[in-house]
Amino acid sequence: MRESSSAYASRIRRFRLPRVCIAVVGGDAATMVERAESLVRDNPFIELRLDYLSQPQVALPKIKAFLELHPEATFIATCRRAVNGGKFKGSVAAELAVLRKAADIGFPLADLELQSAEAVKADELKDLYDRVGLIISCHDFRATKKLDDQMAAMNKYPADFYKLVSTATNLHDNVVMMKFLQAHSGSHEMVGVCMGEQGIISRVLGVRAGSVFTFAAAMRGEETAPGQVPASELRDIYRIEMVDQATQVYGVAGDPVAHSLSPVMMNAAFRREAVNAVYLALHAKTLKDLLACVQEIPIRGLSMTMPYKQEILEILENSDALTKQIGACNTVVRGAGGQLYGFNTDVAGITVPLEQRLHLAGARILIVGAGGAARAGAFGLKAKGAEVFITNRTPEKAQALARQAKAKYLKRADVAKQQFDVIINATPVGMGASKQSPLEEKELNTKYVFDLVYNPAETPLVKMARAKEIQVVPGLEMFVQQGARQFEIWTGKPAPLAEMAYVVTKALERQATEKVTEEPPVPVRTAKRSEPRAAVSKAARKSEPRAAVSRAAKKSEPRAAVSKAAKKSEPRAAVSRAAKKSGPKTVARKAAKKQAQTTRKK
Ligand code: NAP
């Protein structure tokens, strides 16, 4: 294998490169420069996708002026050919000519795909390598396999960085990529990432496995590769700049999980409490795939969601008594030895908001529904001494749950005849744009309505309850409380409830606005100044008054015995090898020469 031996300068030493490179596209020079200009102050590492330009050669002089205005930033020139997954329709020779010119106008880095490197003559490649910091890249748009073969093919050519981009078809592909990075980052400057929704692990954790940097989209809707995450999310939600060998990994696992608000909420909690941890959305198509990642990454804790809440029980080493009775687990802790322990924090999600408002012992509570959430409610409320009634669309299911939980089955026809302290909606009726309510107005003979549906906040049931001056317990409180208990089980710290509620509320408001307006993507320049996220995270960092609910959150759900195990230190991940490498390699004189040339030209 050849060693990277370029003479390129200190400005592209790996320790100088930011961890996130933003890919910027545009159909003409003015658009591309305008987009890059709006981003460069906060993102000093930008890839300009010259292949998106209708005439790259013509555009380069205008781009040159922009580069000269930003000597503090690092730019990659990429002109990927259409046959290799890019947009450039020209020949390999034309691609090379664009990259040569890009080098001459001041780009410190250029990306040349392996297929083009293989097609050009050795002296032409050497000529490009002498002019610019060279990234040789290889993309697989279908799978993550034969990475060593691809590395061997790239390594025949001199380069400053070798970049391998594959496609994750399952979660374990991320492990394959990260092991590959660990194996090669000791001898080469590597960049590696898995594309696709399931590649999120490699996008966040690849940097600690040895990827010098990773790629991000300028904003949602401007992805240049499947699964690319907006840079603002990588920084503000996943805190990629802080990810290191000690960062604990958590996630929400299910199928689907793309729209889960748990990453927003749990990462905000970790940030607020200064816990060195990151929480990812893990789209697991099978439980087996998920479990392999849990052990190999390793993942310290999981929020389980549909369809794995029941199936995971069979895998667990142990779980608490209530979780066993309910027959569903939404929280997993991985012990120091790799054993998995399960809990059901949906119980706290239902009982805690109610306990803050009334005494549960002796309270008459009707649950509408007999699925997972209803089960958590029925067992949890019975354990608190409430008198629980259950009604459901399918009566047999309600009868079975009533029997198991020692609750009472109520025929739907009898609901209107009864008086309750609380009615809980544990069905999805009212979600999204639905105009339906699970109960009619005449059936709402109660002091409180607790609608577990939280998107939208004002469901038809909630509106009906308000109109009857019935007090409403928002479903958001369940979401926050079940997450708060997870946080406490995982970290042993009280959860920052106000922060969690705040970020989820803001995310829901954002989603609602996006749905209502259905506007095309906001121009990047405007987005940078007015991005609601920025305002949110600024406000979130400020100390919010603690919500009244936080008191109850700190109260006693019995602490699990296993939480001790969860606090113990994990065996160091194999990834630490990469971290132990002796400092960054200097990619020396070439860039120094380039910098001098650029300065002279100015
Ligand atoms: P689940 O296991 O699928 O159970 C759904 C229940 O709703 C079943 O009893 C089902 O009745 C009933 N149902 C479904 N569609 C209905 C309809 N059109 N009319 C009347 N009843 C209907 O779901 P789950 O996990 O219990 O969740 C239920 C809802 O609770 C979710 O949709 C979500 O909105 C909410 N939830 C909220 C949180 C939170 O954090 N706020 C957490 C968990 C759940 P059958 O038995 O007749 O099928």
Side-chain angles (χ1 to χ4, degrees):
M1 299 234 286
R2 340 170 36 128
E3 283 295 314
S4 302
S5 60
S6 115
Y8 231 73
S10 53
R11 72 179 287 188
I12 56 167
R13 282 177 184 177
R14 65 181 293 168
F15 76 94
R16 288 266 181 116
L17 287 177
R19 281 187 163 181
V20 180
C21 178
I22 296 194
V24 172
V25 301
D28 55 59
T31 309
M32 182 172 277
V33 164
E34 191 190 11
R35 288 181 181 209
E37 185 68 69
S38 72
L39 292 161
V40 70
R41 200 183 313 156
D42 295 335
N43 305 281
F45 191 14
I46 288 180
E47 177 189 40
L48 293 180
R49 288 294 301 261
L50 305 179
D51 49 320
Y52 280 67
L53 296 164
S54 53
Q55 292 178 295
Q57 286 277 12
V58 176
L60 282 172
K62 281 191 187 140
I63 291 173
K64 177 180 181 219
F66 168 69
L67 298 190
E68 287 174 356
L69 278 176
H70 294 285
E72 78 289 358
T74 304
F75 296 95
I76 302 175
T78 298
C79 192
R80 187 158 306 129
R81 296 181 67 222
V83 284
N84 300 324
K87 299 271 185 216
F88 187 61
K89 302 264 169 42
S91 63
V92 175
E95 178 190 9
L96 209 63
V98 171
L99 292 183
R100 250 194 326 261
K101 190 160 175 186
D104 293 345
I105 66 162
F107 275 91
L109 290 164
D111 183 320
L112 184 73
E113 61 269 25
L114 172 64
Q115 295 88 336
S116 296
E118 287 171 338
V120 299
K121 292 191 185 119
D123 58 341
E124 288 174 324
L125 189 62
K126 171 80 169 52
D127 175 56
L128 183 65
Y129 180 60
D130 286 342
R131 290 168 191 249
V132 72
L134 187 61
I135 303 167
I136 296 219
S137 64
C138 183
H139 297 75
D140 185 336
F141 292 92
R142 282 194 295 271
T144 299
K145 57 183 184 195
K146 299 188 177 164
L147 302 188
D148 285 326
D149 292 354
Q150 290 166 26
M151 181 64 196
M154 289 196 291
N155 200 29
K156 288 181 189 156
Y157 306 100
D160 298 292
F161 298 89
Y162 294 101
K163 177 179 129 191
L164 200 50
V165 180
S166 67
T167 298
T169 58
N170 53 53
L171 292 173
H172 193 261
D173 281 346
N174 292 278
V175 176
V176 173
M177 173 58 79
M178 291 195 291
K179 284 187 172 171
F180 166 80
L181 288 168
Q182 289 156 24
H184 292 278
S185 58
S187 49
H188 297 89
E189 301 291 299
M190 298 298 304
V191 178
V193 72
C194 294
M195 293 183 286
E197 188 202 342
Q198 292 181 298
I200 180 73
I201 302 176
S202 72
R203 289 193 182 276
V204 178
L205 301 182
V207 287
R208 78 171 186 187
S211 185
V212 180
F213 58 89
T214 191
F215 287 89
M219 61 186 294
R220 211 164 272 289
E222 292 195 3
E223 298 83 3
T224 55
Q228 216 172 51
V229 178
S232 58
E233 281 185 30
L234 271 185
R235 293 218 187 81
D236 299 344
I237 296 180
Y238 300 110
R239 295 183 298 161
I240 192 167
E241 304 289 354
M242 317 274 289
V243 167
D244 59 21
Q245 299 305 316
T247 303
Q248 304 289 351
V249 183
Y250 297 87
V252 52
D255 182 13
V257 287
H259 295 101
S260 171
L261 291 176
S262 294
V264 170
M265 180 170 77
M266 301 307 281
N267 283 309
F270 287 138
R271 183 183 58 215
R272 168 54 75 116
E273 292 303 312
V275 178
N276 186 1
V278 65
Y279 183 101
L280 305 168
L282 306 172
H283 183 177
K285 288 186 184 154
T286 65
L287 200 53
K288 190 171 164 221
D289 178 31
L290 174 70
L291 293 172
C293 291
V294 170
Q295 298 303 352
E296 291 201 54
I297 288 180
I299 294 173
R300 283 289 299 265
L302 288 169
S303 309
M304 300 302 301
T305 185
M306 299 311 288
Y308 301 122
K309 282 186 177 185
Q310 288 85 28
E311 207 179 331
I312 189 74
L313 281 174
E314 292 159 29
I315 314 291
L316 299 175
E317 183 80 13
N318 205 351
S319 57
D320 62 350
L322 210 48
T323 303
K324 281 181 191 151
Q325 283 179 331
I326 294 164
C329 158
N330 77 329
T331 308
V332 172
V333 179
R334 183 184 180 279
Q339 316 91 320
L340 303 181
Y341 301 96
F343 302 88
N344 191 315
T345 69
D346 284 338
V347 173
I350 293 172
T351 57
V352 172
L354 292 177
E355 278 179 311
Q356 289 164 359
R357 292 167 167 95
L358 70 158
H359 290 293
L360 289 180
R364 287 169 59 84
I365 301 180
L366 172 68
I367 299 174
V368 185
R375 290 185 71 81
F379 282 99
L381 292 166
K382 277 300 291 180
K384 299 279 180 184
E387 190 181 357
V388 177
F389 299 82
I390 299 163
T391 193
N392 187 43
R393 177 177 65 179
T394 310
E396 297 75 26
K397 289 193 196 163
Q399 286 159 353
L401 174 55
R403 251 192 329 273
Q404 291 161 12
K406 299 191 170 47
K408 291 175 184 150
Y409 166 67
L410 198 61
K411 271 197 249 160
R412 175 68 189 267
D414 291 339
V415 169
K417 298 176 198 157
Q418 299 277 336
Q419 194 69 37
F420 300 102
D421 293 301
V422 184
I423 292 179
I424 300 174
N425 173 33
T427 77
V429 181
M431 272 176 82
S434 164
K435 299 249 183 320
Q436 289 184 317
S437 165
L439 293 177
E440 292 176 31
E441 193 189 331
K442 65 171 192 256
E443 295 172 302
L444 299 186
N445 302 317
T446 178
K447 293 180 195 147
Y448 294 93
V449 161
F450 189 0
D451 195 344
L452 303 191
V453 173
Y454 62 89
N455 193 6
E458 293 293 308
T459 60
L461 175 65
V462 165
K463 285 181 191 159
M464 206 189 284
R466 289 197 201 286
K468 284 187 83 172
E469 297 191 346
I470 295 168
Q471 298 181 68
V472 169
V473 185
L476 186 77
E477 285 194 27
M478 175 180 180
F479 184 64
V480 172
Q481 288 293 351
Q482 60 80 34
R485 285 294 301 127
Q486 295 186 326
F487 181 91
E488 290 167 3
I489 288 168
W490 291 333
T491 66
K493 292 181 172 207
L497 277 152
E499 174 90 2
M500 293 166 79
Y502 182 78
V503 295
V504 176
T505 306
K506 288 292 161 192
L508 285 169
E509 282 172 12
R510 232 177 3 253
Q511 279 183 6
T513 318
E514 279 161 17
K515 269 184 215 145
V516 171
T517 56
E518 287 183 353
E519 279 172 358
V522 188
V524 175
R525 184 188 291 278
T526 318
K528 189 188 143 219
R529 305 249 143 85
S530 62
E531 171 77 80
R533 176 206 45 77
V536 171
S537 58
K538 213 166 103 190
R541 278 191 292 273
K542 279 201 226 151
S543 91
E544 295 274 322
R546 299 268 157 192
V549 287
S550 66
R551 278 201 317 269
K554 283 175 205 155
K555 274 203 269 169
S556 58
E557 284 280 310
R559 291 265 167 203
V562 292
S563 68
K564 260 197 352 231
K567 278 180 225 154
K568 277 201 222 154
S569 68
E570 290 289 324
R572 293 272 161 210
V575 289
S576 63
R577 269 222 328 257
K580 283 186 207 134
K581 276 195 316 173
S582 63
K585 273 182 281 171
T586 308
V587 231
R589 286 192 306 272
K590 216 155 65 168
K593 204 167 92 193
K594 165 82 55 175
Q595 209 163 15
Q597 278 169 358
T598 313
T599 316
R600 269 203 306 278
K601 280 176 201 159
K602 277 202 280 178

